Amino acid sequence: MSWIFGYINRQAMAEGPKLRSFLHCFESPGISIYAGGSGKNLQVFWHPHQHNEKVFIVGEPILRKGEEFCYPN
């Protein structure tokens, strides 16, 4: 299972306690995002076109094949 939480504020945020231990984070003035989980349920990578931005993918994707749904190979 994977999870994500964060804080958004118009001003820079003071350092405070986190809700739980996390594996990945992205912090900049006004926004903090934290993610955790394991395996294919959590993917984090740098955005291929936007410098210094991360992409967080949580959960298992489900694809449609005709009338059926399946997980990717």
Side-chain angles (χ1 to χ4, degrees), residues 3 5-7 13-28 31-35:
W3 52 266
F5 74 89
Y7 304 99
M13 294 178 283
E15 185 68 28
K18 308 299 185 261
L19 293 177
R20 62 190 301 182
S21 298
F22 53 89
L23 297 174
H24 302 281
C25 71
F26 175 81
E27 296 176 318
S28 68
I31 187 168
S32 297
I33 299 172
Y34 307 96

Side-chain angles (χ1 to χ4, degrees), residues 31-57:
I31 187 168
S32 297
I33 299 172
Y34 307 96
S38 63
K40 65 181 179 179
N41 293 328
L42 173 64
Q43 297 179 35
V44 179
F45 53 90
W46 289 103
H47 192 289
H49 305 293
Q50 300 295 326
H51 183 64
N52 289 334
E53 289 189 15
K54 284 187 179 179
V55 176
F56 292 83
I57 300 174

